[in-house]
Amino acid sequence: MKTVVLNVNDQVIDKLLWLLGHFNKEEVNILDESFLTHKAYLQQELDNMEQGAVMMDEKEFWQSTETVLSQNN
């Protein structure tokens, strides 16, 4: 399935949604813009992990930083 991004004038959005409503969900799936933004972000994170980036939360980050600093003293 292809993804198409449209900028639609507020005056015609109802007509466009009416037209798209005549297709079933296997033919047309309406996504909002935030979905595409999240998808791009997650793809970038996945790409980073595949290149060897390590994911950690803030607590793990500070613990590892403290460990490195204590080893240098």
Coordinates of all heavy atoms in Angstrom, one line a residue:
M1 N 0.9 -1.2 0.0 CA 0.0 0.0 0.0 C 0.9 1.2 0.0 O 1.9 1.3 0.7 CB -0.9 0.0 1.2 CG -2.0 1.1 1.2 SD -3.1 1.0 2.6 CE -4.3 -0.2 1.9
K2 N 0.6 2.2 -0.8 CA 1.3 3.5 -0.9 C 0.8 4.5 0.1 O -0.4 4.4 0.5 CB 1.2 4.1 -2.3 CG 1.7 3.2 -3.4 CD 3.1 3.3 -3.5 CE 3.6 2.4 -4.7 NZ 4.9 2.2 -4.8
T3 N 1.6 5.4 0.6 CA 1.2 6.5 1.5 C 1.3 7.8 0.7 O 2.3 8.1 0.1 CB 2.1 6.6 2.7 OG1 2.0 5.3 3.4 CG2 1.7 7.7 3.6
V4 N 0.2 8.6 0.7 CA 0.2 9.8 0.1 C -0.1 10.9 1.1 O -1.0 10.7 1.9 CB -0.9 9.8 -1.0 CG1 -1.1 11.2 -1.7 CG2 -0.7 8.8 -2.0
V5 N 0.6 12.0 1.1 CA 0.4 13.1 2.0 C -0.2 14.2 1.2 O 0.3 14.6 0.2 CB 1.7 13.6 2.7 CG1 1.5 14.7 3.6 CG2 2.4 12.4 3.4
L6 N -1.4 14.7 1.7 CA -2.1 15.8 1.1 C -2.2 17.0 2.0 O -2.5 16.8 3.2 CB -3.5 15.4 0.6 CG -3.6 14.2 -0.3 CD1 -5.0 13.8 -0.4 CD2 -3.0 14.5 -1.7
N7 N -2.1 18.2 1.5 CA -2.5 19.4 2.2 C -3.9 19.8 1.6 O -4.0 20.1 0.5 CB -1.5 20.5 2.0 CG -0.2 20.3 2.8 OD1 -0.3 19.8 3.9 ND2 0.9 20.6 2.2
V8 N -4.9 19.8 2.5 CA -6.3 20.0 2.0 C -6.8 21.2 2.6 O -6.8 21.4 3.8 CB -7.2 18.8 2.3 CG1 -8.6 19.0 1.8 CG2 -6.6 17.5 1.7
N9 N -7.4 22.1 1.8 CA -8.1 23.3 2.2 C -9.2 22.9 3.1 O -10.0 22.0 2.8 CB -8.5 24.1 1.0 CG -9.1 25.4 1.4 OD1 -10.1 25.5 2.0 ND2 -8.4 26.5 0.9
D10 N -9.5 23.7 4.2 CA -10.6 23.4 5.1 C -11.9 23.4 4.4 O -12.9 22.8 4.8 CB -10.6 24.5 6.2 CG -9.4 24.3 7.2 OD1 -8.8 23.2 7.2 OD2 -9.1 25.3 7.9
Q11 N -12.0 24.2 3.3 CA -13.3 24.3 2.6 C -13.7 23.0 1.8 O -14.8 22.8 1.5 CB -13.3 25.4 1.6 CG -13.2 26.8 2.3 CD -13.0 27.9 1.3 OE1 -12.6 27.7 0.2 NE2 -13.2 29.1 1.8
V12 N -12.7 22.1 1.5 CA -13.0 20.9 0.8 C -12.7 19.6 1.5 O -13.0 18.5 1.0 CB -12.2 20.9 -0.6 CG1 -12.6 22.0 -1.4 CG2 -10.7 20.9 -0.3
I13 N -12.3 19.7 2.8 CA -11.9 18.5 3.5 C -13.1 17.6 3.7 O -13.0 16.4 3.6 CB -11.3 18.8 4.9 CG1 -10.8 17.5 5.6 CG2 -12.2 19.5 5.8 CD1 -9.6 16.9 4.9
D14 N -14.3 18.1 3.9 CA -15.5 17.3 4.1 C -15.8 16.5 2.8 O -16.2 15.4 2.9 CB -16.7 18.2 4.5 CG -16.6 18.7 5.9 OD1 -15.8 18.1 6.7 OD2 -17.2 19.8 6.2
K15 N -15.7 17.2 1.7 CA -15.9 16.5 0.4 C -14.9 15.4 0.1 O -15.3 14.3 -0.3 CB -15.9 17.5 -0.8 CG -17.0 18.5 -0.7 CD -16.9 19.5 -1.8 CE -18.0 20.6 -1.7 NZ -17.8 21.7 -2.7
L16 N -13.7 15.7 0.5 CA -12.6 14.7 0.3 C -12.9 13.4 1.2 O -12.8 12.3 0.7 CB -11.2 15.2 0.5 CG -10.1 14.3 0.4 CD1 -10.0 13.7 -1.0 CD2 -8.8 14.9 0.8
L17 N -13.2 13.7 2.4 CA -13.4 12.6 3.4 C -14.7 11.8 3.0 O -14.7 10.6 3.1 CB -13.6 13.1 4.8 CG -12.3 13.7 5.4 CD1 -12.5 14.3 6.8 CD2 -11.2 12.6 5.5
W18 N -15.7 12.5 2.4 CA -16.9 11.8 1.9 C -16.5 10.9 0.8 O -16.9 9.7 0.8 CB -17.9 12.9 1.4 CG -19.1 12.3 0.7 CD1 -20.2 11.8 1.3 CD2 -19.2 12.0 -0.7 NE1 -21.0 11.2 0.3 CE2 -20.5 11.4 -0.9 CE3 -18.4 12.3 -1.8 CZ2 -20.9 11.1 -2.2 CZ3 -18.9 12.0 -3.0 CH2 -20.1 11.3 -3.2
L19 N -15.7 11.4 -0.1 CA -15.2 10.5 -1.3 C -14.4 9.3 -0.8 O -14.7 8.2 -1.2 CB -14.4 11.4 -2.2 CG -13.7 10.6 -3.4 CD1 -14.8 10.0 -4.3 CD2 -12.8 11.5 -4.1
L20 N -13.5 9.6 0.1 CA -12.6 8.5 0.6 C -13.5 7.5 1.5 O -13.1 6.3 1.5 CB -11.5 9.1 1.5 CG -10.5 9.9 0.7 CD1 -9.5 10.5 1.7 CD2 -9.8 9.1 -0.4
G21 N -14.5 8.0 2.1 CA -15.4 7.1 2.8 C -16.1 6.0 2.0 O -16.6 5.0 2.6
H22 N -16.1 6.1 0.7 CA -16.7 5.1 -0.2 C -15.8 3.9 -0.4 O -16.2 3.0 -1.1 CB -17.1 5.8 -1.5 CG -18.3 6.7 -1.4 ND1 -18.2 8.0 -0.9 CD2 -19.6 6.4 -1.6 CE1 -19.4 8.5 -0.9 NE2 -20.3 7.6 -1.3
F23 N -14.6 4.0 0.1 CA -13.6 2.9 -0.1 C -13.6 2.1 1.3 O -13.8 2.7 2.3 CB -12.2 3.4 -0.4 CG -12.1 4.1 -1.7 CD1 -12.3 5.5 -1.8 CD2 -11.9 3.4 -2.9 CE1 -12.2 6.1 -3.0 CE2 -11.8 4.0 -4.1 CZ -11.9 5.4 -4.2
N24 N -13.3 0.8 1.2 CA -13.2 0.1 2.4 C -11.8 0.2 3.0 O -10.9 0.7 2.3 CB -13.6 -1.4 2.3 CG -12.7 -2.2 1.4 OD1 -11.5 -2.1 1.5 ND2 -13.3 -3.0 0.5
K25 N -11.6 -0.3 4.2 CA -10.3 -0.1 4.9 C -9.1 -0.8 4.2 O -8.0 -0.5 4.4 CB -10.4 -0.5 6.4 CG -11.3 0.5 7.2 CD -11.0 0.3 8.6 CE -11.9 1.2 9.4 NZ -11.5 2.6 9.5
E26 N -9.4 -1.9 3.5 CA -8.4 -2.6 2.7 C -7.9 -1.8 1.5 O -6.8 -1.9 1.0 CB -8.8 -4.0 2.3 CG -9.0 -5.0 3.4 CD -10.2 -4.8 4.3 OE1 -11.3 -4.4 3.7 OE2 -10.2 -5.0 5.5
E27 N -8.8 -0.8 1.1 CA -8.4 0.0 -0.1 C -7.8 1.3 0.3 O -6.8 1.7 -0.3 CB -9.7 0.2 -0.9 CG -10.3 -1.0 -1.5 CD -11.7 -0.8 -2.2 OE1 -12.5 0.0 -1.6 OE2 -11.9 -1.4 -3.2
V28 N -8.4 2.0 1.3 CA -7.9 3.3 1.7 C -7.9 3.3 3.3 O -8.9 3.0 3.9 CB -8.8 4.4 1.2 CG1 -8.3 5.8 1.7 CG2 -8.7 4.4 -0.3
N29 N -6.8 3.7 3.8 CA -6.7 3.9 5.3 C -6.3 5.3 5.6 O -5.2 5.7 5.1 CB -5.7 2.9 5.9 CG -5.7 2.9 7.4 OD1 -6.6 3.4 8.0 ND2 -4.7 2.2 8.0
I30 N -7.1 6.1 6.3 CA -6.8 7.5 6.5 C -5.9 7.6 7.8 O -6.3 7.1 8.9 CB -8.1 8.3 6.7 CG1 -8.9 8.2 5.4 CG2 -7.8 9.7 7.0 CD1 -10.3 8.8 5.5
L31 N -4.8 8.2 7.7 CA -3.8 8.4 8.8 C -3.7 9.9 9.1 O -3.8 10.7 8.2 CB -2.4 7.8 8.4 CG -2.4 6.4 7.9 CD1 -1.0 6.1 7.4 CD2 -2.8 5.4 8.9
D32 N -3.5 10.2 10.3 CA -3.2 11.6 10.6 C -1.7 11.9 10.5 O -0.9 11.0 10.5 CB -3.9 12.1 11.9 CG -3.2 11.5 13.1 OD1 -2.1 11.1 13.0 OD2 -3.9 11.5 14.2
E33 N -1.4 13.2 10.4 CA 0.0 13.6 10.2 C 0.9 13.1 11.4 O 2.1 12.8 11.1 CB 0.1 15.1 10.1 CG 1.4 15.6 9.6 CD 1.4 17.0 9.3 OE1 0.4 17.6 8.9 OE2 2.5 17.6 9.5
S34 N 0.4 13.0 12.6 CA 1.2 12.6 13.7 C 1.7 11.2 13.5 O 2.8 10.8 14.0 CB 0.5 12.8 15.0 OG -0.6 11.9 15.1
F35 N 0.9 10.3 12.9 CA 1.3 9.0 12.6 C 2.6 8.9 11.8 O 3.5 8.2 12.1 CB 0.2 8.2 11.9 CG 0.7 6.8 11.4 CD1 0.8 5.7 12.2 CD2 1.1 6.7 10.1 CE1 1.2 4.5 11.8 CE2 1.5 5.5 9.6 CZ 1.6 4.4 10.4
L36 N 2.6 9.8 10.7 CA 3.8 9.8 9.8 C 5.0 10.3 10.6 O 6.1 9.8 10.3 CB 3.4 10.6 8.6 CG 2.3 10.1 7.8 CD1 2.0 11.1 6.6 CD2 2.6 8.7 7.2
T37 N 4.8 11.3 11.4 CA 5.9 11.9 12.2 C 6.5 10.8 13.1 O 7.7 10.6 13.2 CB 5.5 13.1 13.0 OG1 4.9 14.1 12.1 CG2 6.6 13.7 13.8
H38 N 5.6 10.1 13.8 CA 6.0 9.0 14.7 C 6.7 7.9 14.0 O 7.7 7.4 14.4 CB 4.9 8.5 15.5 CG 4.4 9.4 16.6 ND1 3.7 10.5 16.3 CD2 4.5 9.3 17.9 CE1 3.3 11.1 17.4 NE2 3.8 10.4 18.4
K39 N 6.2 7.6 12.8 CA 6.8 6.5 12.0 C 8.2 6.9 11.6 O 9.1 6.0 11.7 CB 5.9 6.2 10.8 CG 6.4 5.1 9.9 CD 5.5 4.9 8.7 CE 6.2 3.9 7.8 NZ 5.4 3.8 6.5
A40 N 8.4 8.1 11.2 CA 9.7 8.5 10.8 C 10.7 8.5 11.9 O 11.9 8.1 11.8 CB 9.7 9.9 10.2
Y41 N 10.3 9.0 13.1 CA 11.1 8.9 14.3 C 11.5 7.5 14.7 O 12.7 7.2 14.9 CB 10.4 9.6 15.5 CG 11.1 9.4 16.8 CD1 12.2 10.1 17.1 CD2 10.6 8.5 17.7 CE1 12.9 9.9 18.3 CE2 11.2 8.3 18.9 CZ 12.4 9.0 19.2 OH 13.0 8.8 20.4
L42 N 10.5 6.6 14.7 CA 10.8 5.2 15.1 C 11.7 4.6 14.0 O 12.6 3.8 14.4 CB 9.5 4.5 15.2 CG 8.7 4.9 16.4 CD1 7.3 4.2 16.4 CD2 9.4 4.6 17.7
Q43 N 11.6 4.9 12.8 CA 12.5 4.3 11.7 C 13.9 4.8 12.0 O 14.8 4.0 11.9 CB 12.0 4.7 10.3 CG 12.8 4.1 9.2 CD 12.7 2.6 9.3 OE1 11.6 2.0 9.2 NE2 13.9 1.9 9.3
Q44 N 14.1 6.1 12.3 CA 15.4 6.6 12.6 C 16.0 5.9 13.8 O 17.2 5.5 13.8 CB 15.4 8.1 12.9 CG 16.7 8.7 13.1 CD 17.7 8.6 12.0 OE1 17.3 8.8 10.8 NE2 18.9 8.3 12.2
E45 N 15.2 5.7 14.9 CA 15.7 5.0 16.0 C 16.1 3.5 15.7 O 17.2 3.0 16.2 CB 14.6 5.0 17.2 CG 14.4 6.3 17.8 CD 15.6 6.9 18.5 OE1 16.2 6.2 19.3 OE2 15.9 8.1 18.2
L46 N 15.3 2.9 14.9 CA 15.6 1.5 14.5 C 16.9 1.5 13.7 O 17.8 0.6 13.9 CB 14.5 0.9 13.6 CG 14.7 -0.5 13.1 CD1 15.0 -1.5 14.2 CD2 13.6 -0.9 12.2
D47 N 17.1 2.5 12.7 CA 18.3 2.5 12.0 C 19.5 2.7 12.9 O 20.6 2.1 12.7 CB 18.2 3.7 10.9 CG 17.2 3.4 9.9 OD1 16.7 2.3 9.7 OD2 16.8 4.4 9.2
N48 N 19.4 3.6 13.9 CA 20.5 3.8 14.8 C 20.8 2.5 15.6 O 22.0 2.2 15.8 CB 20.1 4.9 15.8 CG 20.1 6.3 15.2 OD1 20.7 6.5 14.1 ND2 19.4 7.2 15.8
M49 N 19.8 1.8 16.0 CA 20.1 0.5 16.7 C 20.8 -0.5 15.8 O 21.7 -1.2 16.3 CB 18.8 0.0 17.3 CG 18.3 0.8 18.5 SD 16.9 0.1 19.4 CE 15.7 -0.3 18.1
E50 N 20.4 -0.5 14.6 CA 21.0 -1.5 13.7 C 22.5 -1.1 13.4 O 23.3 -2.0 13.1 CB 20.2 -1.5 12.4 CG 18.9 -2.3 12.5 CD 18.0 -2.2 11.3 OE1 18.3 -1.5 10.3 OE2 17.1 -3.0 11.2
Q51 N 22.8 0.1 13.6 CA 24.2 0.6 13.4 C 25.0 0.5 14.7 O 26.1 0.9 14.7 CB 24.2 2.0 12.9 CG 23.6 2.2 11.5 CD 23.5 3.6 11.1 OE1 24.0 4.5 11.7 NE2 22.9 3.8 9.9
G52 N 24.4 -0.1 15.7 CA 25.1 -0.3 17.0 C 24.9 0.6 18.1 O 25.5 0.5 19.1
A53 N 23.9 1.6 17.9 CA 23.6 2.5 19.0 C 23.0 1.7 20.2 O 22.2 0.7 20.0 CB 22.7 3.6 18.6
V54 N 23.3 2.1 21.4 CA 22.7 1.5 22.6 C 21.6 2.4 23.2 O 21.8 3.6 23.3 CB 23.8 1.2 23.6 CG1 23.3 0.6 24.9 CG2 24.9 0.4 23.1
M55 N 20.5 1.8 23.4 CA 19.4 2.5 24.0 C 19.4 2.3 25.5 O 19.5 1.2 26.0 CB 18.0 2.0 23.4 CG 18.0 2.0 21.9 SD 18.1 3.7 21.2 CE 16.5 4.3 21.7
M56 N 19.2 3.4 26.2 CA 19.1 3.3 27.7 C 18.3 4.4 28.2 O 18.2 5.5 27.6 CB 20.5 3.3 28.3 CG 21.3 4.6 28.2 SD 22.9 4.7 29.0 CE 23.9 3.5 28.1
D57 N 17.7 4.2 29.4 CA 16.9 5.3 30.0 C 17.8 6.2 30.7 O 19.0 6.0 30.9 CB 15.8 4.7 30.8 CG 16.3 3.9 32.0 OD1 17.4 4.1 32.5 OD2 15.5 3.1 32.5
E58 N 17.2 7.3 31.3 CA 18.0 8.3 31.9 C 18.8 7.8 33.2 O 19.9 8.1 33.4 CB 17.1 9.5 32.4 CG 17.8 10.6 33.0 CD 16.9 11.8 33.4 OE1 15.7 11.7 33.0 OE2 17.4 12.7 34.0
K59 N 18.1 6.9 33.9 CA 18.8 6.3 35.1 C 20.0 5.5 34.7 O 21.1 5.6 35.3 CB 17.8 5.4 35.9 CG 18.3 4.9 37.2 CD 17.3 4.1 37.9 CE 17.8 3.5 39.2 NZ 16.8 2.7 39.9
E60 N 19.9 4.7 33.7 CA 21.0 3.9 33.2 C 22.1 4.8 32.7 O 23.3 4.5 33.0 CB 20.6 2.9 32.1 CG 19.7 1.8 32.5 CD 19.1 1.1 31.4 OE1 18.7 1.7 30.4 OE2 19.1 -0.2 31.4
F61 N 21.8 5.9 32.1 CA 22.8 6.8 31.5 C 23.6 7.4 32.7 O 24.8 7.4 32.6 CB 22.1 7.9 30.7 CG 23.0 9.0 30.4 CD1 24.0 8.9 29.4 CD2 23.0 10.2 31.1 CE1 24.8 9.9 29.1 CE2 23.9 11.3 30.8 CZ 24.8 11.1 29.8
W62 N 22.9 7.9 33.7 CA 23.6 8.5 34.8 C 24.5 7.5 35.6 O 25.6 7.8 36.1 CB 22.7 9.3 35.7 CG 22.2 10.5 35.1 CD1 20.9 10.8 34.7 CD2 23.0 11.7 34.7 NE1 20.9 12.1 34.1 CE2 22.2 12.6 34.1 CE3 24.4 12.0 34.8 CZ2 22.6 13.8 33.6 CZ3 24.8 13.2 34.3 CH2 24.0 14.1 33.7
Q63 N 24.0 6.3 35.7 CA 24.7 5.3 36.4 C 26.0 4.9 35.6 O 27.1 4.8 36.2 CB 23.9 4.0 36.6 CG 22.8 4.1 37.7 CD 21.9 2.9 37.8 OE1 21.9 2.1 36.8 NE2 21.2 2.8 38.8
S64 N 25.9 4.8 34.3 CA 27.1 4.5 33.5 C 28.1 5.7 33.6 O 29.3 5.5 33.6 CB 26.7 4.1 32.1 OG 26.2 5.2 31.4
T65 N 27.6 6.9 33.6 CA 28.4 8.1 33.6 C 29.2 8.1 34.9 O 30.4 8.4 35.0 CB 27.6 9.4 33.5 OG1 26.9 9.3 32.2 CG2 28.4 10.6 33.5
E66 N 28.5 7.8 36.0 CA 29.1 7.8 37.4 C 30.2 6.7 37.4 O 31.3 6.9 38.0 CB 28.1 7.6 38.5 CG 27.2 8.8 38.7 CD 26.1 8.6 39.7 OE1 26.0 7.5 40.3 OE2 25.3 9.5 39.9
T67 N 29.9 5.6 36.8 CA 30.9 4.5 36.8 C 32.2 4.9 36.1 O 33.3 4.7 36.5 CB 30.3 3.2 36.1 OG1 29.1 2.9 36.9 CG2 31.3 2.1 36.1
V68 N 32.0 5.5 34.9 CA 33.1 6.0 34.1 C 33.9 7.0 34.8 O 35.2 7.0 34.9 CB 32.7 6.5 32.7 CG1 33.8 7.2 32.0 CG2 32.1 5.4 31.9
L69 N 33.2 8.0 35.5 CA 33.9 9.1 36.2 C 34.7 8.5 37.4 O 35.8 9.0 37.7 CB 32.9 10.1 36.6 CG 32.3 11.0 35.5 CD1 31.3 11.9 36.1 CD2 33.4 11.8 34.8
S70 N 34.1 7.5 38.1 CA 34.7 7.0 39.3 C 36.0 6.2 38.9 O 37.0 6.1 39.6 CB 33.8 6.1 40.1 OG 33.4 5.0 39.4
Q71 N 36.0 5.6 37.7 CA 37.1 4.8 37.2 C 38.3 5.7 36.8 O 39.4 5.4 36.9 CB 36.7 3.9 36.0 CG 35.8 2.8 36.4 CD 35.3 2.1 35.2 OE1 35.5 2.5 34.0 NE2 34.6 1.0 35.4
N72 N 37.9 7.0 36.4 CA 39.0 7.9 36.0 C 39.6 8.6 37.2 O 40.6 9.3 37.0 CB 38.4 8.9 35.1 CG 38.1 8.3 33.7 OD1 38.7 7.4 33.3 ND2 37.1 8.9 33.0
N73 N 39.1 8.5 38.4 CA 39.6 9.2 39.6 C 40.6 8.3 40.3 O 40.8 7.2 40.4 CB 38.5 9.6 40.6 CG 37.8 10.8 40.0 OD1 38.3 11.6 39.2 ND2 36.5 10.9 40.3

